[in-house]
């Protein structure tokens, strides 16, 4: 068998055996393999956390940036080079706690990137504190009485902000995840995929088994229509005994790069100084006495 | 130097800015050298603001405290500023606003609105009345001002132009009738072509001339002028200015864009700079070139948003946690603002590190006439860049080199891949934990500081070679400093002026100056003496005295001379 | 000092922490003095981590590089650390993990899992096998360790306790059979009661003893231990620990809580500190007392999250834009960690300003035995507070005073009102723009630095009064520094050690030391010499040499001595 | 007539004549007057911007903090002294741009404070740049091609985050505003009132007239039920020709102060060192050999 283009590297991962991140890494690799992209067409921007290490284990360009700042870094890169296929990758803490403001506004901007959130409902790397996705009552070192806050719903929020592509998948369902990632990449505009990712070390509640027995595919409901925003928003509230996965909502909107006339002549990374433009500006300062 | 100062005061929203613009144009077109500064409050309407103009027969880069003409659009102008009037000074005021007529020598009542209305024109043309009134002191007729009206209002129709002309003439006549002709500084011969430009547009133009392709920022006074200037020229110069949701996003977008290969920058102030420091440190670790303009204003915290201070030097010096390479530049005037931006981008690219440009409200908002900015003098040096086609499969983004600089690869430019991280990493950019790898990568990054230090810009020196007194300052204090040197020399003192435009790392040339002859006095706009502290740190040195200002107003020669004479600060 | 060092290495998740806890308890209960440090990677499972223990007959505050015993739970331990073994050193390893049996003197094979299973116990009890094996070198029987099993596992049932005992005995026997009895350092007589405590719990306990009522933080290694300790004691000590959505929220919640009258703090590291700096400046402007623990780790940026460095001093010194009063404390050991927290809160309250406590991973994660922490020695001084009943209607929050301190009013405590702002403000707290008001408020705020400087904590001095060599350091380097002084003195050198626990502002007592006799060498854990730079700045001084470490590992006497002997850094 | 307790001060405001902020200031003063509170029971925490200056013109305790940071500062104050009636006050830039992350999480926390957003759809103090509330196409100095991002919907977002009390009012309708502020204060839990506030200087689109001709009171629809979350969310999407004002959504949830057992014995600001508790902790460190 020929080597996969987007092979996962032989580099030893920093993940615990059995971690849900492995499933995501493999699905990502498979998804890209079929998208007729080459590794150098792809940029993975990631945050800090166990999830943020993912790009180090797959082929592609990598920018492993700060905790919580994947989205603005990815946005900057995409705006100056729309030819890159840009992923933002991070944990639920990264994206919904530290990075919450960027999430809101990335969705408004509708920049054409794919955002993968490894959602283990906990801060993994810092050893198990509550994340915005932790269920109420979850006991951790920072919440000894159990989490009192309502869990954050990234999908309902994304639908409210009219994000272009809003989906959930599950690390334990590879074919679903591969398909969802591909659909997300193929969507023109901001795509968010919240991926249920069991943390076998710090989340003893939301385990593989817990998720597996609960998830069901939205596709199973023939009547589900991802263009119906209100229905999608209501569906996104569902959590508990039954957890839907799949594409909740999809809408086509103008993307941010289209809004900037500067890119009209191709990617900005390929443009030099606009000599004539600057000259004109400078001439404007002349005292024409 | 022979100069003449005009101060126009009024409430925000009263038309100060319009009158100011007319005068800026008219004075500079008339051939005088000009320096002008705005003093305004952090509000949109009301309050008390003023603009001061100083025209001269020689290039002028600072204000004087005393004024020849005071133009009062509000009552506060006379109440607060009349004591600044020179002997023989003139006050043009509106008796209806003042609530009284002032019967003193030099006071001329011009009811601006009434004058406009008398000419059958709307109230807003009160501005033209003021402009005409002022111009009667400067010129023999209104031709110059009328030309400006034509240029400004022709799009609005001939009626408007003519209306303004008439009103201006009425204002002109009022003052001319009262005071007759006044002598003005001679107009310089052979001054050559001039630009009229303020610090913010100079910084922004410098960035555009250097090929900035991406900017992201969140509005913050006094940096917003840079941001809006770049935004306005997005199409013309192929640059994206993306307003961010906050400064954290702005800085991280900039780092992302630069990682991807575009020259990228941001501009902010005080609290906004705080929010950027984490990402500045990250850029240093991932060796991504970025240029950050910090337009200083008085702190701590929100402080005085529209005033000036040089209070961020120590903060910029510390910048973020850990040790990393960087440079800090501090332009002293619009010329330096323009050219140092190009230099900042080159340094950032060459050493793949953050470069901070410290501006302040005084530089940002002051207009001056200056010789033309020449974009042919702006050289673009993108440093060591390798394309993804050349690089080959063994490309290592952070290859250990003696200079510390490793060729940078633009992602997507060919088959080779580039990996970068804010965590400590190996040569390939992947995360490492070992002590050896850490040491190697620190040594590599910090090795860059050797190059950076070697090409540190030398101080600008003026005045005597064997001075009794050496005045040292940085950034926008340059104009005040150099004129102070001139004035002291005129009095026969042996004085040297030292303007530092690169504040980190310092040029080693400074050592000779600091250890050389003369009493050393550091002049700066902050409370603790931030430049003094940094010089002390670098050169194990203490000055003989200092002049400091921390009330949010710019330094000027009068203030400096008074402090020097007071001598209280000479140790 | 007579000491004995044990290093246990293995993968994260392999039970290192459990074995370590047993040893910490057993060694300290046995009556030895103990110092122990953890070296771990930024991951949860796998990798290579180790814990090192040093027991001694005298108080011990640092590690030595060479070890007497190496316990290998993974292969990497022997590969990487065997060269650290002293002559006569012992290696206890698991041949099944190692992949081979090593037939060399001092090497004892103990297949930990097999030993457990041989005793009919589950795999996890391999930890007990390791503990027993190690203890055979330290004690004559397992009574001590068994007591710890009883305390640890009694809740889990007698079976578990007995199982552990059996397995431990089997491990003990293996090593005892192979090596027989070993001589250990004598146990100190009359050591008196001891505490066993690490830096993070010491800092947290210090805060609780000082009456902290509110903490908010966002987890960040190596500060998280403080956060979780406070959270765990919320009910017991009437304190709220609120996990924030980010560090900006954490710091601003703290400022809000303190404005409202509660002692409030946060803890963070590097990038998190960056995000807090804006609000720290705001606290300074609004004169709200806050205490911030910055647990340093190697930067720039995310750097090495679980390692140690003293790399934030210059950043902390700059802190935020503008000039404002503040203090920076840097505890050197658990005693100082505990008591300096109380001092930090008092300083913050007394001068109504931010106080930064600089810890680091080395301090945070190192355990030591120490004399009991005495909460009766913690004095709470809340500074000048006035109640809303006393204050009267003319109360002015920022009344100008000579000391710069204006009595603070707790909102809601009575009819008087309190107004505070991060903008520049007048005595009442309302916004102002005038130069005079600005100057007055700056003078008032900065006047506080006089008091702060006067009560700056003096350096801790040890060693000779007329030294040939003066070693100077700060923060957690204290233990390594002082032991180095001891060792050099033992060799007959005249040496003085200077530990600086307040790094801003410096005690003026330092001047005499710096100008006094002896070559001065500054010892610190960073690349550029941050303490050296600050001392240079304050005292216009340069040292004769330096010892620096920047590979993320803590300084120790061996490293310092080697560098001093190398002499390369002696200028 | 007796002086009002919450009189607006004689201090000159820094606002433009005709600014919508005056209406809010007066309504706030009237609303408080009838709530049987005294000024010293009240704490106004405000941000930076024209809106953030409001507390300087009314009687009460004031903490005028940073741009975007009203909510965490107010949360900290409230947690240590639940006896204070705490307002957070700021502009739309303050709250929805710089402060977006805090808004998300303040709603999750459900801290018992009242958040007033002076929503003029523009950055006023910095002279007219786009805010997250600016309508698409709005031309400003930073968006010369017009805003391309979709306008942020604070109300739909608040309903999605299950905020306790979600309302909109209008600076030009004093009685409505007074009533809404009072209801917000009386609600136990996090209340947000987004107040349409014309900026006469920098927003020439969304003027008094523009709003006045569009707003209608939700109360006019007898069937409107603020406990119906989906209906509220849909209603919150309405913007344009008709703009609803009133209470969109209300729900009772446990508040954050209740979640912390530490406050069981009264406000923390009134508590001293817990001597016995600390002693117990310290004793725990003793080596009991
Ligand atoms: C500014 C900043 N704050 C805090 C941290 C510490 N930190 C690293 S990862 C992390 C949270 C990890 O949780 P998540 O994002 O869910 O990722 P996971 O490890 O669960 O995949 C935190 C708090 C940091 N690196 N930077
Ligand atoms: C950290 C920071 N960034 C930027 C600013 C500058 N700034 C002050 S007010 C403001 C926006 C004002 O808009 P808004 O919050 O809507 O208030 P308004 O003036 O419209 O009432 C900005 C960007 C600041 N003070 N602090
Ligand atoms: S801690 Fe959790 S998320 Fe991190 S690697 Fe282990 S199992 Fe995965
Ligand atoms: S700028 Fe706008 S919001 Fe600010 S005071 Fe003026 S009208 Fe009001
Ligand atoms: Mg997580
Ligand atoms: Mg606004």
């Amino acid at each position: 068998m020929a080597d996969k283009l987007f092979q996962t590297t032989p580099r030893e991962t920093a993940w615990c055996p059995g971690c849900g991140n492995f499933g995501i890494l493999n699905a990502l690799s498979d998804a890209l393999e079929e998208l007729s992209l080459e590794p150098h067409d792809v940029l993975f921007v990631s945050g800090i956390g166990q999830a943020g290490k993912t790009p180090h284990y797959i082929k592609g360009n990598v920018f492993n940036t700060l905790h919580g700042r994947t989205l603005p870094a990815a946005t900057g890169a995409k705006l100056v080079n729309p030819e890159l296929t840009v992923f933002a990758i991070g944990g639920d803490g990264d994206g919904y706690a530290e990075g919450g403001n960027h999430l809101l506004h990335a969705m408004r901007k509708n920049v054409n990137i794919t955002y993968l959130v490894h959602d283990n409902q906990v801060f993994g790397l810092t050893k198990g504190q509550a994340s915005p996705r932790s269920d109420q009552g979850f006991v951790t070192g920072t919440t000894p009485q159990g989490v009192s806050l309502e869990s954050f719903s990234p999908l309902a929020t994304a639908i409210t902000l009219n994000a272009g592509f809003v989906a959930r998948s599950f690390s334990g369902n590879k074919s679903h995840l591969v398909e969802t990632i591909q659909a997300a990449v193929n969507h023109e505009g901001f795509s968010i995929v919240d991926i249920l990712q069991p943390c076998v070390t710090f989340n003893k509640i939301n385990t593989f088994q817990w998720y597996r027995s609960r998830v069901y595919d939205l596709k199973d409901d023939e009547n589900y229509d991802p263009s119906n925003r209100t229905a999608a928003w209501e569906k996104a509230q569902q959590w508990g005994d039954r957890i839907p996965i799949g594409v909740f909502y999809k809408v086509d909107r103008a993307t941010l790069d289209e809004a900037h006339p500067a890119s009209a002549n191709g990617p900005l990374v390929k443009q030099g100084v606009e000599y004539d433009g600057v000259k004109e500006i400078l001439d404007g300062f002349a005292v024409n006495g | 130097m022979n100069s003449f100062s005009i101060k126009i005061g009024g409430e925000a929203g009263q038309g100060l800015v319009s009158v100011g613009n007319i005068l800026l144009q008219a004075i500079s077109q008339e051939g005088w050298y000009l320096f002008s500064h705005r003093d305004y409050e952090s509000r949109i309407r009301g309050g008390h603001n003023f603009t001061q103009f100083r025209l001269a027969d020689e290039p002028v880069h600072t204000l004087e405290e005393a004024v020849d003409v005071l133009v009062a659009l509000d009552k506060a102008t006379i109440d607060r500023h009349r004591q600044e009037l020179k002997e023989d000074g003139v006050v043009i005021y509106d008796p209806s606003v003042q609530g009284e007529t002032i019967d003193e020598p030099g006071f001329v009542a011009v009811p601006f609105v009434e004058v406009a209305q008398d000419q059958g024109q709307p109230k807003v043309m009160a501005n033209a009345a003021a402009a005409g009134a002022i111009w009667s002191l400067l010129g023999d007729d209104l031709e110059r001002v009328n030309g400006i009206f034509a240029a400004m209002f022709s799009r609005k129709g001939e009626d408007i132009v003519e209306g303004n002309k008439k009103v201006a003439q009425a204002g002109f006549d009022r003052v001319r009738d009262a005071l007759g002709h006044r002598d003005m500084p001679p107009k310089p011969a052979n001054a050559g072509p001039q630009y009229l430009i303020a610090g913010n547009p100079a910084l922004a133009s410098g960035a555009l001339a250097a090929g900035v392709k991406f900017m992201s920022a969140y509005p913050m006074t006094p940096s917003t002028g840079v941001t809006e200037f770049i935004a306005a020229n997005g199409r013309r110069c192929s640059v994206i200015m993306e307003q961010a949701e906050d400064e954290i996003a702005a800085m991280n977008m900039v780092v992302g864009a630069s990682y991807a290969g575009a020259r990228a920058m941001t501009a902010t102030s005080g609290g906004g700079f705080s929010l950027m420091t984490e990402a500045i440190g990250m850029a240093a670790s991932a060796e991504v070139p970025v240029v950050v303009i910090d337009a200083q204003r008085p702190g701590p915290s929100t402080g005085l948003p529209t005033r000036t201070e040089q209070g961020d030097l120590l903060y910029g010096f510390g910048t973020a946690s850990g040790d990393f390479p960087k440079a800090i530049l501090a332009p002293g005037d619009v010329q330096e603002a323009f050219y140092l931006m190009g230099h900042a981008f080159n340094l950032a690219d060459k050493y793949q590190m953050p470069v901070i440009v410290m501006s302040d409200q005084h530089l940002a908002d002051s207009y001056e006439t200056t010789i033309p900015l020449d974009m042919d003098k702006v050289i673009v040096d993108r440093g060591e860049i390798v394309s993804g086609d050349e690089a080959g499969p063994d490309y290592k983004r952070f290859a250990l080199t003696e200079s510390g600089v490793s060729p940078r690869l633009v992602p997507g430019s060919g088959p080779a891949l580039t990996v970068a991280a804010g965590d400590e990493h190996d040569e390939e950019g992947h995360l490492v934990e070992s002590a050896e790898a850490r040491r190697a990568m620190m040594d590599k990054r910090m090795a860059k500081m050797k190059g950076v230090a070697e090409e540190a810009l030398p101080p600008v020196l003026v005045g005597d070679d064997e001075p009794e007194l050496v005045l040292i300052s940085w950034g926008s204090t340059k104009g005040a400093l150099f004129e102070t040197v001139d004035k002291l020399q005129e009095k026969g003192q042996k004085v040297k002026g030292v303007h530092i435009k690169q504040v980190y790392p310092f040029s080693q040339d400074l050592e000779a100056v600091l250890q050389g002859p003369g009493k050393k006095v550091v002049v700066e706009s902050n409370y603790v003496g931030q430049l003094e502290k940094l010089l002390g740190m670098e050169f194990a040195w203490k000055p003989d005295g200092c002049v400091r200002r921390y009330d949010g107003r710019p330094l000027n020669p009068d203030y400096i001379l008074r402090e020097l004479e007071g001598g209280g600060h000479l140790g």
Side-chain angles (χ1 to χ4, degrees), chain B residues 300-460:
Chain B
S301 196
T302 312
L304 288 171
T306 59
R307 309 288 168 176
T308 202
E309 192 161 276
Q310 301 179 295
D312 293 3
L313 181 54
L314 293 175
Y315 190 34
F317 171 70
T319 326
S321 57
D323 293 317
F324 55 87
K326 62 172 175 276
I328 309 177
L329 307 177
D333 54 27
V334 293
Q335 288 281 333
E336 290 181 359
F338 179 78
Y339 294 109
L340 283 184
M341 282 306 290
H343 188 64
F345 277 106
N346 287 348
L347 276 181
D349 269 344
K350 206 164 151 191
Y351 297 101
Q352 303 172 4
M353 66 175 189
V355 176
I356 300 165
V357 177
M358 293 226 162
S359 167
D360 56 27
Q361 186 266 337
H362 180 227
L363 175 67
D365 288 342
S366 292
Y367 278 86
E368 55 182 275
T369 49
T370 188
I371 55 167
L373 301 171
D374 182 358
M375 83 171 285
D376 292 325
K377 287 201 194 136
V378 178
I379 284 139
V380 173
D381 176 357
R382 302 273 343 238
E384 295 187 46
I385 292 193
V386 60
S387 93
D389 287 319
E390 304 153 14
D394 294 334
Y395 171 73
K396 293 192 167 111
R397 170 64 188 93
F398 302 101
L400 298 177
T401 62
E402 208 182 319
S403 67
V405 177
S406 327
R408 206 153 69 92
L409 187 149
V410 172
S413 61
L417 302 175
T418 179
V419 176
D423 280 90
E424 196 54 279
H425 43 263
D426 59 19
E427 289 183 272
E428 286 180 59
H430 293 297
L431 312 191
V432 282
E433 292 270 358
S434 88
E436 298 68 37
R438 158 73 177 176
R439 212 154 35 224
M441 209 41 71
M442 276 299 282
D443 286 339
K444 170 194 134 62
R445 274 193 301 266
M446 296 305 291
K448 299 194 279 189
M449 282 311 289
K450 191 161 168 286
V452 178
E454 273 166 15
E455 62 174 292
L457 300 171
V460 182

Side-chain angles (χ1 to χ4, degrees), chain B residues 263-330:
Chain B
R263 281 202 155 173
M265 69 180 279
T266 186
T268 186
S269 183
F273 185 74
S274 283
L275 296 168
M276 292 180 173
T277 54
E278 188 194 17
I280 294 174
M282 192 262 291
S285 174
E287 304 200 40
V288 177
V290 291
V291 174
V292 178
I293 296 177
D294 175 25
Q296 300 162 99
R297 65 192 218 186
S301 196
T302 312
L304 288 171
T306 59
R307 309 288 168 176
T308 202
E309 192 161 276
Q310 301 179 295
D312 293 3
L313 181 54
L314 293 175
Y315 190 34
F317 171 70
T319 326
S321 57
D323 293 317
F324 55 87
K326 62 172 175 276
I328 309 177
L329 307 177

Side-chain angles (χ1 to χ4, degrees), chain A residues 9 11 38-45 47-48 52-53 55-81 83-84 98 101-106 108-109 125 256-257 260-265 268-289, chain B residues 25 28-30 144 193-198 201-202 205 208-211 213-214 229 233-246 248-250 252-262 278-280 282 286 288 338 369 373-376 380 382 409-423 426 428-431:
Chain A
T9 62
R11 188 174 295 280
E38 302 225 36
H40 69 271
D41 299 327
V42 177
L43 168 59
F44 302 105
V45 178
I48 299 296
K53 294 174 181 167
H56 289 285
Y57 312 134
I58 189 170
K59 271 195 155 181
N61 296 295
V62 178
F63 190 16
N64 185 184
T65 175
L66 291 168
H67 183 59
R69 314 304 170 194
T70 49
L71 289 175
T75 301
K78 182 73 184 180
L79 284 176
V80 298
N81 191 357
E83 290 175 357
L84 289 173
E98 189 80 71
N101 203 28
H102 310 312
L103 177 63
L104 286 185
H105 294 278
R108 293 182 59 231
K109 288 174 197 149
L125 185 58
L256 184 61
D257 22 328
H260 281 288
S263 332
N265 305 322
L268 289 177
V269 287
K270 297 184 182 167
Q271 321 270 314
V273 178
E274 290 286 346
Y275 194 91
D276 294 342
V278 181
K279 197 85 186 52
E280 212 182 307
I281 290 170
L282 293 182
D283 288 347
F285 296 124
V287 175
N288 27 35
Chain B
Q25 293 296 334
S28 58
Q29 288 179 16
E30 197 67 16
R144 178 68 61 195
Q194 295 284 319
Y195 277 12
L196 173 68
I197 185 171
S205 308
L208 293 171
K213 291 289 134 198
F214 185 82
F229 194 96
N233 289 292
R235 194 190 299 266
R236 175 145 66 171
C237 296
S238 295
V239 53
I240 286 180
M241 198 313 284
E242 174 66 21
Q243 181 178 333
E245 59 271 26
D246 58 29
I248 301 175
N252 282 282
M253 279 197 244
V254 164
V255 179
S258 178
Y259 163 88
E278 188 194 17
I280 294 174
M282 192 262 291
V288 177
F338 179 78
T369 49
L373 301 171
D374 182 358
M375 83 171 285
D376 292 325
V380 173
R382 302 273 343 238
L409 187 149
V410 172
S413 61
L417 302 175
T418 179
V419 176
D423 280 90
D426 59 19
E428 286 180 59
H430 293 297
L431 312 191

Side-chain angles (χ1 to χ4, degrees), chain A residues 14-16 18-21 50 120 124-125 197-202:
Chain A
W15 294 328
C16 312
C19 172
N21 279 324
Q50 295 292 67
N120 55 10
L125 185 58
Q197 173 247 318
C199 168
V200 299
T201 303
F202 293 115

